[in-house]
Amino acid sequence: MWGRLRVVAVLLALGWASSIFAQSIQSPILTIDSERLYRGSEFGQRVAREVEARTQALTEENRTLESELEAEELALTEQRADLTPEDFRALADAFDARVQAIRRDREAESREIADLLESNRGRFLQAAAPILEDIMREAGAGVILEVRSVFISANAIDITDRAIARIDASIGDGGPQPN
């Protein structure tokens, strides 16, 4: 029994020591997975949910508009035999102008969603910079490299998880704060 307790005590001590070591990285070079940093943070997850909701709404609106336009085009085609060429041309041109306006509106909405994603990424990086600088200082590091740019490294210098935890604690999801 005492042997088992010693083994458990040693394992607990090793676990404690490894967690202390993991928290106190000392290296002149650190790595980070910036994509995982953003997507793994509460901020990035909130933005992803907002973008997904807006994209889904845009897709549904597009389907509705597509059905309406198909019905309108069919009605216009059916009227063709009863109209003069000039009257038909006027209706066809009006329909085409409406389709082009809808297309421009949909493209503008898509760009707005992309801009939302990009502007929030910029806000996130701006808020994350001082936190990353603190982690660098604590580790005695002079640089943080993107993990994808490093050919080989020890996982011990990857600060992505630590950075996510600190950023979440500092800025949360970055959304509007209650008064």
Side-chain angles (χ1 to χ4, degrees):
M1 171 148 165
W2 287 109
R4 286 186 185 158
L5 285 176
R6 273 189 251 167
V7 169
V8 169
V10 168
L11 290 174
L12 287 173
L14 286 174
W16 177 76
S18 68
S19 71
I20 293 292
F21 177 73
Q23 292 177 3
S24 60
I25 297 170
Q26 292 298 304
S27 175
I29 299 171
L30 302 174
T31 62
I32 197 161
D33 182 336
S34 62
E35 189 61 32
R36 189 165 62 86
L37 176 71
Y38 183 67
R39 290 178 187 243
S41 71
E42 291 175 12
F43 188 109
Q45 291 171 14
R46 175 191 55 81
V47 172
R49 285 189 304 271
E50 288 178 14
V51 166
E52 176 63 28
R54 289 188 63 179
T55 301
Q56 182 71 27
L58 182 63
T59 299
E60 289 172 13
E61 288 172 15
N62 286 346
R63 284 188 194 125
T64 300
L65 286 168
E66 184 179 343
S67 293
E68 290 173 3
L69 291 172
E70 285 174 357
E72 194 174 326
E73 183 179 29
L74 182 61
L76 184 60
T77 301
E78 290 173 355
Q79 290 177 359
R80 185 174 194 164
D82 300 332
L83 297 172
T84 65
E86 296 79 24
D87 289 342
F88 178 76
R89 174 58 37 215
L91 291 174
D93 288 346
F95 175 76
D96 187 52
R98 182 166 178 248
V99 168
Q100 295 303 320
I102 290 170
R103 183 175 292 136
R104 283 190 302 275
D105 179 58
R106 304 287 88 196
E107 289 171 357
E109 183 69 25
S110 292
R111 279 191 305 276
E112 191 176 306
I113 292 170
D115 290 347
L116 171 71
L117 191 59
E118 189 61 31
S119 69
N120 274 291
R121 185 177 287 274
R123 283 185 48 225
F124 174 79
L125 292 175
Q126 189 173 26
I131 297 164
L132 296 173
E133 289 170 3
D134 286 346
I135 293 172
M136 274 180 49
R137 228 179 336 276
E138 292 165 9
V143 67
I144 298 176
L145 300 175
E146 172 60 48
V147 74
R148 286 175 209 63
S149 300
V150 176
F151 183 67
I152 192 167
S153 73
N155 284 338
I157 64 171
D158 186 328
I159 61 164
T160 306
D161 291 331
R162 178 187 301 183
I164 289 171
R166 287 201 187 172
I167 290 167
D168 286 350
S170 178
I171 64 171
D173 72 1
Q177 301 301 314
N179 294 340

